[in-house]
Amino acid sequence: MSHHLSGPNLRSPLGDARLDMTDLFAFAVPGGRTVLILDVNPVAPTGGDAFHPDAVYRINVDTDGDHRADVAYSFVFSRPENGRQTVTVRRATGDQARAHEAAGQALFTDVPVNFGAEHPAVESGPYTFYAGFRSDPFFADLDGIVAKFQWTGVDWGADKNVFAIVLEVPDADLGPHPEIGVWGRVSLRQDGRLTSVDRGAHPSLTAYFNAEEVKDAYNAGEPADDWATYREPWSAVLTHFGNYDPQAAEQTLRTVLPDILRYDRSRPAAYPNGRTLTDDVTSARLTMLTGGKVPTDHIGPHTDLLPHFPYLGPPHAN
């Protein structure tokens, strides 16, 4: 899957779908603006729980190439009450951006989470925001992948929903240089301590590359440590599945380690330069994993996407 079920044994972190980050997107729209999308809660049911009230959801942005957050947008949700939930959005910089706590300037306060098919955008100064129920944009023949590339022609995500966080910001908000790095994180407060339970940027990494016993540690980790920690075991995976030699394995891994989605905003977004909602990331990962022997799963992007904010399609009835 993309980043769905990123806990051990193909389960959500701590067995709680609300904490399960599924996808991250970063792309440009007209008017000198960048769209950042963090999807969570895979296979979300109609009328089900949305976001965890004890969690901090974050989109981190590295503006200087040191693999550490320089700008961070945090999203904290209220406890659900009578079918309602609200969210407060903050923007942090500097040391506050590197911590996992929600901190910094409040951009939006007590915005209602949307549980229906409508998609009301909320604006505050130069920012546009939405949080709520949407169609999952992830597309892949997962049954075919499990069946060792005997393709079924069935898109697993065609009828699935997620809860989405969509934030549109002016380009200047992300630093003066066009090159940025983006990753998502979900942290949970337990017994007074905030612990990272999920994180990532590039799709379909932890499912293919991480052994079950290291997935929790990966989710708690920092991208700046990724190369030193995961270069050797992930190179071994590429050697096994794709017959890579050591030099080719390391060169290939540099596109995904550290696990930060690099985006040069002076060029059109197309994975792995940012990520749009129609980029075929499943085929990209299959090609990488198998050394080009399996170049695609023959599944195309969804047709319910919107040409305007919040860009994700309306949720499916279920």
Side-chain angles (χ1 to χ4, degrees):
M1 304 181 78
S2 190
H3 198 77
H4 306 57
L5 306 179
S6 46
N9 303 310
L10 287 179
R11 296 176 61 84
S12 296
L14 303 182
D16 192 327
R18 297 171 299 175
L19 303 173
D20 198 335
M21 170 186 160
T22 65
D23 275 302
L24 178 75
F25 302 90
F27 55 90
V29 292
R33 298 172 68 77
T34 297
V35 176
L36 303 171
I37 298 177
L38 180 69
D39 290 339
V40 301
N41 204 337
V43 198
T46 302
D49 288 341
F51 300 94
H52 200 300
D54 295 320
V56 176
Y57 300 82
R58 298 195 91 190
I59 298 175
N60 299 294
V61 182
D62 171 21
T63 66
D64 58 12
D66 67 352
H67 314 314
R68 302 183 186 278
D70 300 293
V71 179
Y73 301 97
S74 297
F75 312 88
V76 177
F77 294 83
S78 69
R79 297 196 175 280
E81 185 173 349
N82 299 322
R84 296 184 68 254
Q85 192 172 31
T86 62
V87 54
T88 293
V89 182
R90 293 185 177 276
R91 179 183 184 271
T93 59
D95 290 342
Q96 287 185 329
R98 293 181 177 88
H100 295 174
E101 294 282 355
Q105 174 191 6
L107 304 181
F108 298 88
T109 303
D110 297 332
V111 174
V113 173
N114 183 63
F115 289 87
E118 64 276 11
H119 48 84
V122 181
E123 296 184 354
S124 176
Y127 303 97
T128 306
F129 175 68
Y130 170 89
F133 202 35
R134 302 308 290 167
S135 168
D136 190 342
F138 175 61
F139 54 97
D141 185 347
L142 290 188
D143 289 336
I145 293 172
V146 171
K148 299 181 179 179
F149 313 132
Q150 300 300 307
W151 304 120
T152 70
V154 176
D155 176 9
W156 175 89
D159 60 351
K160 304 300 189 298
N161 295 319
V162 291
F163 278 92
I165 295 169
V166 185
L167 183 65
E168 189 174 302
V169 306
D171 285 348
D173 219 48
L174 304 176
H177 304 295
E179 299 90 355
I180 61 173
V182 185
W183 68 101
R185 186 180 297 277
V186 182
S187 300
L188 180 67
R189 193 175 307 281
Q190 295 177 300
D191 300 323
R193 180 181 178 184
L194 193 66
T195 302
S196 175
V197 296
D198 203 359
R199 61 101 177 182
H202 289 275
S204 301
L205 289 184
T206 194
Y208 287 126
F209 287 97
N210 278 329
E212 301 301 333
E213 63 270 17
V214 304
K215 287 183 177 180
D216 285 339
Y218 185 85
N219 289 335
E222 296 291 343
D225 301 323
D226 283 348
W227 183 255
T229 306
Y230 299 104
R231 175 182 60 84
E232 289 188 8
W234 288 24
S235 291
V237 172
L238 290 180
T239 299
H240 175 72
F241 284 102
N243 295 320
Y244 285 76
D245 62 44
Q247 183 177 358
E250 288 199 10
Q251 182 178 1
T252 299
L253 286 177
R254 288 189 183 279
T255 65
V256 296
L257 282 178
D259 189 1
I260 297 174
L261 182 64
R262 290 295 168 190
Y263 180 25
D264 181 348
R265 294 173 292 162
S266 68
R267 300 189 292 118
Y271 184 79
N273 183 51
R275 182 182 173 189
T276 75
L277 297 167
T278 59
D279 287 337
D280 190 353
V281 295
T282 297
S283 293
R285 192 62 63 240
L286 289 173
T287 299
M288 172 186 173
L289 185 70
T290 66
K293 293 189 291 292
V294 182
T296 182
D297 66 343
H298 307 286
I299 299 295
H302 294 171
T303 59
D304 61 352
L305 302 173
L306 303 178
H308 51 75
F309 192 92
Y311 308 105
L312 300 167
H316 303 283
N318 54 23

